[in-house]
Amino acid sequence: MVHASNPTFDPTSFEVWGALINGARLLILDKEVALSNDEFAKALGEGGADVMFLTTTLFHLKAKEAPSSFKGLRELFVGGEAMDPASARSVLAAAPPKRLINFYGPTENTGFSTFHDVGDVPEGTTTIPIGKNIANSKSYILDRNLRPVPVGVKGEIYVAGDGVALGYFNNPELTKASFVPDPFSPGSMMYRTGDLGRFLAEGSIEFLGRADLQVKVRGFRVEVGEVESVLLSHPSVRLAAVVPRGRDGRERQLFAYVLPHEGVAVGTAELRRYMKERLPDYMVPRSFTILE
């Protein structure tokens, strides 16, 4: 079992205790090894790694720069953000692990709530589902009145089951706002994630972004993560962030910050052209700042 997470990050409990209570050896990677493509692949191979968790951001980075790094793994778990279909396709086409699993779940539900086995990712796929419930966990998609929404309709994701925490330590107000009675299981609590999703026809959940990251720009509702995803699909872009600024409504504008791949030059005019070809005008950031 690979331990590559920061010790203050909740997947550490999955890595460390997952290894210890199952009699597995813990392969510890330091930050420098995890971020070096050559050293990363070498460490996994020489260490005999079987199981690994990666944040989605780091998975996307490895998929672009070293997609064959995971060839010896039995299971690769990825979670924390929406998985980019192109990144998944790149890893699956190179030298894939035996299982690539897209995980979803907040810390407040002990880390994991749902999972999806990522198999074939056809061209044109726009999202990777976050899947169905793990054992002893439940997921609901509800409207503002805590009523289940129909299949295919967007709502807020709530999680319930044995993994739900008791609340936030010494913070009763936030606990009361986030941990609410489960109307479908009297006597139990569920956690309000603040994430948006919808049920697909076959029962899996599709993640649709954060409720609190949806902003109005020139009268249109915009998911900031969707703009970032398009920007990250540019071949010269390594990392990107899009920040809304200004009062909600017509005064609000989007500003993009971009870190190119090492040794690659990309101009703001090229990025603007790229975004205009793929997004409506109101979703194209007002400015692009290239960072070192």
Side-chain angles (χ1 to χ4, degrees), residues 27 29 33 38-49:
L27 176 63
L29 302 187
V33 171
D38 293 338
E39 292 298 319
F40 177 78
K42 182 180 178 183
L44 295 186
E46 293 182 351

Side-chain angles (χ1 to χ4, degrees), residues 82-103:
M83 180 183 284
D84 170 40
S87 295
R89 193 181 305 112
S90 177
V91 169
L92 292 172
K98 290 184 179 177
R99 290 181 75 192
L100 173 60
I101 301 172
N102 190 29
F103 256 133

Side-chain angles (χ1 to χ4, degrees), residues 36-195:
S36 167
N37 294 331
D38 293 338
E39 292 298 319
F40 177 78
K42 182 180 178 183
L44 295 186
E46 293 182 351
D50 293 306
V51 180
M52 182 178 194
F53 171 85
L54 271 189
T55 63
T56 312
T57 300
L58 189 52
F59 172 74
H60 289 166
L61 193 60
K62 296 298 183 187
K64 279 190 173 184
E65 299 179 355
S68 60
S69 300
F70 312 109
K71 61 182 178 182
L73 290 176
R74 189 176 74 232
E75 293 171 320
L76 174 61
F77 303 119
V78 179
E81 295 174 80
M83 180 183 284
D84 170 40
S87 295
R89 193 181 305 112
S90 177
V91 169
L92 292 172
K98 290 184 179 177
R99 290 181 75 192
L100 173 60
I101 301 172
N102 190 29
F103 256 133
Y104 167 81
T107 304
E108 292 85 350
N109 197 35
T110 323
F112 299 125
S113 303
T114 67
F115 77 101
H116 173 73
D117 267 293
V118 184
D120 183 37
V121 182
E123 290 287 344
T125 299
T126 56
T127 60
I128 302 290
I130 57 174
K132 301 178 181 180
N133 298 323
I134 65 169
N136 304 318
S137 187
K138 294 181 286 187
S139 302
Y140 311 123
I141 299 181
L142 309 178
D143 64 16
R144 64 183 62 189
N145 296 311
L146 301 185
R147 297 175 303 194
V149 299
V151 171
V153 175
K154 180 191 291 187
E156 186 170 353
I157 302 174
Y158 289 73
V159 292
D162 294 344
V164 175
L166 300 178
Y168 297 112
F169 185 64
N170 285 344
N171 197 332
E173 289 187 8
L174 187 58
T175 295
K176 185 178 180 180
S178 301
F179 295 86
V180 296
D182 183 347
F184 313 105
S185 181
S188 300
M189 303 296 287
M190 61 182 183
Y191 173 68
R192 181 180 186 178
T193 67
D195 291 330

